């Protein structure tokens, strides 16, 4: 595989023409979708990828080592994989920070995105998470990044029921090097300006938000977004936190697959 292309793998369906692209969050990798693959591959062609610096894409982009990351650059990486595989348009499923990357891709290339399923969506950082990011930015050269990431994971996913999700993300984050972590961390500072713009400008792409009712850092701004946007829908899962595809895989799969099937082009 080209060293300028994200690591990716595909599951080809014998008859379906529809593609679903899975986009993980910061510190994760394509392995976080392990509870989705079996259900999804019965209906669609699947593309799973590791974002730059994550999973099996962690040895790539050595020529970019000095450059800070931007949402545009990280999004363009995905478009390059779509072009390489000659996928003209697809349905996109994302979790956490991956939801911003999908929304940005829809901004850059709306004709490539048929539907968006945004799980544990980040649509705004509240005062508490902004303070966390600022504190993290101040400490990121002093504190070992795994301490910082572990603290973040605990604050975003504090409940006992979220232990599996928390451990999954922390174990994946261990594969990031310190430099990589810092570059992704800096991206967090760009979340609010980019999401303010997205809130004001709706795209006519059917969008399903899947949120845990206990995803207390992110659920309120999602409700505000859905109230304003006529192509957006929200399904909440009871007693569920941030990483709802891991905590509530059956419901996540059921609602998201039904949504994609409803909006697939014949």
């Amino acid at each position: 595989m080209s060293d300028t292309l994200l690591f990716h793998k595909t599951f080809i369906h014998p008859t379906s023409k529809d593609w679903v692209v899975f986009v993980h969050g910061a510190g994760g990798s394509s392995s976080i979708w392990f509870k989705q693959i079996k259900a999804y591959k019965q209906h669609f062609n699947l593309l799973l990828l590791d974002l730059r610096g994550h999973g099996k894409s962690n040895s790539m982009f050595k020529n970019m080592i000095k450059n800070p990351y931007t949402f545009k650059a990280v999004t363009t990486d995905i478009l390059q994989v779509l072009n390489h595989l000659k996928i003209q348009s697809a349905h996109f499923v994302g979790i956490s920070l991956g939801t911003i990357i999908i929304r940005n891709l829809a901004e850059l290339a709306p004709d490539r995105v048929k539907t968006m399923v945004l799980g544990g969506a980040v649509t705004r950082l509240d005062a508490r998470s902004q303070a966390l990011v600022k504190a993290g930015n101040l400490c990121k050269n002093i504190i070992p990044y795994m301490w910082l990431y572990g603290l973040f994971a605990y604050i975003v996913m504090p409940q006992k029921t979220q232990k599996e999700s928390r451990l999954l993300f922390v174990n994946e984050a261990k594969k990031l090097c310190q430099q990589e972590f810092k570059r992704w961390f800096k991206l967090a500072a760009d979340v609010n300006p980019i999401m303010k713009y997205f809130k004001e400008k709706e795209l006519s792409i059917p969008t399903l938000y899947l949120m845990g009712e206990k995803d207390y850092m992110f659920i309120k701004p999602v409700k505000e977004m859905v109230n304003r946007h006529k192509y957006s829908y929200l399904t909440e899962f009871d007693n569920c936190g941030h990483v709802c595809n891991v905590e509530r895989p059956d419901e996540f799969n059921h609602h998201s697959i039904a949504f994609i099937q409803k909006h697939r082009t014949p």
Side-chain angles (χ1 to χ4, degrees), residues 42-60:
Q42 293 171 34
H43 307 281
F44 315 110
N45 300 294
L46 312 187
L47 168 59
L48 287 90
L49 37 79
D50 289 346
L51 297 172
R52 59 166 71 181
H54 289 69
K56 291 184 179 168
S57 297
N58 66 355
S59 57
M60 300 159 34

Side-chain angles (χ1 to χ4, degrees), residues 64-245:
M64 301 178 183
I65 232 82
K66 293 187 176 69
N67 298 343
Y69 289 169
T70 62
F71 277 112
K72 185 175 181 183
V74 172
T75 305
T76 304
D77 292 343
I78 298 174
L79 286 169
Q80 286 174 344
V81 177
L82 296 183
N83 294 340
H84 173 73
L85 297 173
K86 299 184 171 53
I87 298 172
Q88 186 44 49
S89 62
H91 305 274
F92 285 81
V93 178
I95 195 80
S96 197
L97 201 75
T99 63
I100 303 177
I101 294 166
I102 291 172
R103 178 60 184 80
N104 199 44
L105 195 147
E107 190 66 37
L108 295 176
D111 56 317
R112 310 296 291 266
V113 183
K114 291 180 181 175
T115 61
M116 297 185 279
V117 174
L118 308 178
V122 179
T123 58
R124 193 179 72 224
L125 295 182
D126 63 9
R128 178 168 32 185
S129 35
Q130 284 183 67
L132 263 176
V133 168
K134 278 184 184 146
N137 260 323
L138 291 171
C139 302
K140 67 179 184 290
N141 295 319
I142 312 157
I143 297 174
Y145 79 96
M146 279 313 302
W147 290 10
L148 208 51
Y149 194 86
L151 176 66
F152 266 78
Y154 194 81
I155 289 165
V156 174
M157 304 172 248
Q159 289 101 0
K160 272 186 189 163
T161 51
Q162 296 176 291
K163 190 177 176 183
E164 183 188 2
S165 312
R166 205 161 56 233
L167 289 175
L168 190 66
F169 268 75
V170 168
N171 285 332
E172 283 302 319
K174 284 176 185 167
K175 298 172 191 171
L176 286 178
C177 69
Q178 181 104 355
Q179 263 323 102
E180 203 61 51
F181 176 80
K182 286 181 198 170
R183 280 197 290 274
W184 277 91
F185 202 87
K186 280 180 180 163
L187 260 192
D190 298 335
V191 168
N192 277 11
I194 198 170
M195 292 315 299
K196 185 172 186 287
Y197 170 74
F198 291 159
K199 186 177 180 182
E200 285 159 11
K201 184 194 175 204
E202 183 181 16
L203 297 171
S204 56
I205 296 169
T207 304
L208 174 65
Y209 290 91
L210 295 176
M211 304 291 292
E213 59 151 3
K214 293 189 170 176
D215 192 0
Y216 64 94
M217 273 177 116
F218 302 116
I219 183 120
K220 187 168 170 274
V222 166
K223 286 178 176 174
E224 290 166 12
M225 186 87 95
V226 171
N227 285 338
R228 288 183 62 157
H229 290 179
K230 67 174 183 179
Y231 296 100
S232 291
Y233 309 88
L234 169 62
T235 297
E236 274 184 76
F237 301 136
D238 293 342
N239 195 27
C240 175
H242 183 57
V243 191
C244 52
N245 68 305

Side-chain angles (χ1 to χ4, degrees), residues 4-23:
T4 57
L5 217 52
L6 295 178
F7 172 83
H8 58 275
K9 73 178 175 191
T10 56
F11 296 85
I12 305 298
H13 189 278
T15 56
S16 176
K17 297 279 184 283
D18 280 283
W19 280 90
V20 174
V21 181
F22 291 92
V23 183

